[in-house]
């Protein structure tokens, strides 16, 4: 099978990062900066651009036919495989918890997690190129659903809440940008590892990826501030989905929540499948990839091992994962450049 194209790679990334983005935005940035937190998404853009250039410098040092994985020391490759598997388990748990607590689709998180893990195992078994083709369709559907939700929010916006930002808010806005920065850095790293030889360093597509990510975070935060207010939004669990309950399109469609909720499983599925593909690539046994179903089962086991309380999960989501993700994202290109210089 031919490797996936550069366009398919970045489409997978653009869709997959929406899953963790909605986990941290708009709650964490509004908690850090109040009503001014809607600017945190834009503040994340230059930071992510600098990291993208750093990562691209490592990719450009690769030899022809070589991948970023090939340039890393073997222990680091195995560590990254374990990190991808753990991130898959964490993402699986948080996706299931969101449907359980915010949307009430199931009475417990486990049924949704089992279904999602099974679907992701099938997608991962097919490989990266079919996933990229599916992501091109999925991304269009998710984008349309997001635009529909934001359009429905416009008539209910209190635009005055978005004003009153001063230079004294800059430190808080930057603190609020850190979760988005971590999501973007982790996404860029995973895409660099998932890329076929010679892929992942397209500046134009990378710039579009970062612009989409940060503008999405900004637009969602603006809607949360305008409709709910920062003080209310930061107290809610999954404020974006609570926001959906407060907007309507017409008398014929009183709420768009059900539509958005149904579509939002697509980023979760894409993220999990991409992580399982990456784990298969980085954790081979006797030079052969592990079965996708085995890794999916391991991800479910990891999901079940996380804290059973909402407070414990919040600590993982808002502190441990963002810090660890950003640290690993910085470490990998640095290690690749180091090994290049040792050659």
């Amino acid at each position: 099978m031919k490797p996936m194209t550069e366009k398919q790679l970045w489409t997978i990334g653009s869709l997959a990062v929406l899953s963790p983005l909605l986990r941290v935005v708009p709650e964490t940035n509004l908690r850090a900066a109040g009503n001014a937190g809607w600017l945190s998404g834009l503040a994340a853009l230059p930071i992510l651009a600098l990291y993208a250039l750093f990562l691209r410098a490592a990719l450009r040092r690769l030899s022809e036919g070589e991948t970023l994985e090939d340039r890393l020391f073997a222990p680091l490759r195995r560590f990254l495989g374990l990190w991808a598997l753990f991130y898959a388990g964490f993402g699986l748990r948080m996706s299931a918890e969101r449907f359980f607590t915010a949307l009430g689709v199931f009475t417990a998180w486990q049924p949704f997690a089992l279904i999602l893990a099974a679907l992701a195992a099938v997608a991962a078994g097919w490989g990266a190129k079919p996933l990229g083709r599916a992501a091109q369709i999925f991304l269009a559907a998710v984008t349309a659903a997001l635009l529909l939700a934001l359009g429905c929010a416009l008539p209910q916006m209190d635009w005055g809440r978005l004003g009153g930002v001063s230079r004294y808010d800059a430190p808080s806005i930057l603190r609020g940008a850190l979760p988005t920065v971590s999501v973007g850095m982790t996404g860029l790293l995973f895409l660099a590892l998932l890329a076929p030889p010679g892929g992942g360093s397209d500046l134009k597509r990378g710039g579009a990826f970062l612009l989409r990510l940060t503008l999405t975070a900004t637009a969602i935060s603006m809607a949360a501030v305008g409709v709910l207010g920062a003080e209310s939004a930061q107290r809610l669990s999954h404020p974006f989905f609570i926001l959906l309950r407060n907007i309507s399109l017409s008398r014929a469609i009183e709420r768009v929540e059900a539509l958005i909720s149904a579509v939002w499983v697509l980023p979760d599925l894409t993220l999990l499948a991409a992580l399982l593909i990456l784990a298969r690539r980085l954790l081979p046994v006797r030079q052969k990839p592990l079965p996708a179903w085995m890794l999916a089962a391991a991800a479910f086991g990891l999901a079940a091992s996380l804290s059973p309380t909402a407070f414990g999960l919040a600590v993982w989501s808002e502190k441990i994962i963002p810090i660890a993700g950003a640290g690993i994202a910085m470490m990998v290109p640095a290690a690749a450049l180091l090994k290049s210089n040792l050659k």
Side-chain angles (χ1 to χ4, degrees):
M1 180 183 292
K2 294 182 179 180
M4 63 179 165
T5 65
E6 192 84 0
K7 181 178 180 180
Q8 289 169 342
L9 173 71
W10 289 106
T11 302
I12 289 174
S14 296
L15 184 61
V17 293
L18 292 177
S19 180
L21 184 68
L22 262 292
R23 188 181 69 243
V24 296
V25 172
E27 186 176 0
T28 53
N29 52 311
L30 298 186
R31 186 182 301 141
N35 283 347
W38 67 271
L39 289 167
S40 292
L42 295 177
L45 182 57
I47 303 172
L48 287 171
L50 289 174
Y51 173 72
L53 291 175
F54 177 47
L55 183 58
R56 186 171 183 266
L59 293 175
R60 288 178 66 85
R61 297 288 295 274
L62 301 178
S63 305
E64 185 177 353
E66 189 180 28
T67 65
L68 180 60
E69 171 192 348
D70 298 328
R71 184 53 62 94
L72 300 177
F73 296 102
L76 183 54
R77 289 200 299 271
R78 288 192 290 270
F79 172 77
L80 287 172
L82 293 173
W83 170 244
L85 183 59
F86 176 80
Y87 200 92
F90 172 75
L92 178 64
R93 176 64 181 274
M94 297 307 295
S95 299
E97 286 286 341
R98 184 183 67 239
F99 274 76
F100 168 50
T101 60
L103 307 176
V105 176
F106 295 108
T107 57
W109 67 268
Q110 290 90 344
F112 176 77
L114 282 170
I115 295 171
L116 183 58
L119 292 173
V122 173
W126 287 341
K129 189 172 182 64
L131 181 63
R133 290 172 177 167
Q136 290 177 294
I137 301 172
F138 294 164
L139 183 60
V142 172
T143 301
L146 265 177
L147 291 175
L148 173 63
L150 295 173
C152 292
L154 288 177
Q156 303 177 45
M157 290 281 290
D158 181 352
W159 296 98
R161 292 173 178 163
L162 302 178
V165 180
S166 71
R167 67 179 185 275
Y168 301 108
D169 293 315
S172 298
I173 292 171
L174 287 173
R175 284 198 300 273
L178 295 179
T180 303
V181 168
S182 178
V183 169
M185 290 174 66
T186 303
L188 286 170
L189 173 63
F190 283 152
L191 287 177
L193 289 168
L194 197 61
S201 60
D202 189 314
L203 275 179
K204 184 177 179 180
R205 295 191 188 279
F209 167 82
L210 293 180
L211 194 60
R212 174 187 283 269
L213 173 69
T214 53
L215 287 180
T216 300
T218 302
I220 290 170
S221 300
M222 288 178 66
V225 170
V227 176
L228 301 174
E231 186 175 350
S232 297
Q234 64 186 273
R235 293 176 180 174
L236 299 172
S237 176
H238 310 295
F240 175 70
F241 292 91
I242 302 299
L243 170 68
L244 295 178
R245 299 176 184 176
N246 291 274
I247 59 178
S248 60
L249 180 62
S250 67
R251 291 183 179 179
I253 305 177
E254 287 297 328
R255 296 197 311 182
V256 297
E257 175 192 1
L259 174 63
I260 308 296
S261 303
V263 170
W264 210 256
V265 72
L266 300 177
D268 298 334
L269 174 61
T270 302
L271 174 65
L272 185 56
L275 290 171
L276 292 180
I277 290 172
L278 190 56
R280 294 187 77 198
R281 199 177 281 183
L282 296 171
L283 295 172
V285 174
R286 295 178 182 177
Q287 306 301 318
K288 294 182 179 180
L290 290 168
W293 66 264
M294 184 180 296
L295 292 170
F300 182 85
L302 287 167
S305 70
L306 294 173
S307 173
T309 67
F311 175 78
L313 290 175
V315 172
W316 277 99
S317 179
E318 298 174 15
K319 296 181 179 180
I320 299 175
I321 295 296
I323 294 173
I328 292 170
M330 290 297 296
M331 176 180 64
V332 172
L337 287 170
L338 175 63
K339 190 173 181 181
S340 298
N341 292 332
L342 292 177
K343 280 192 171 184

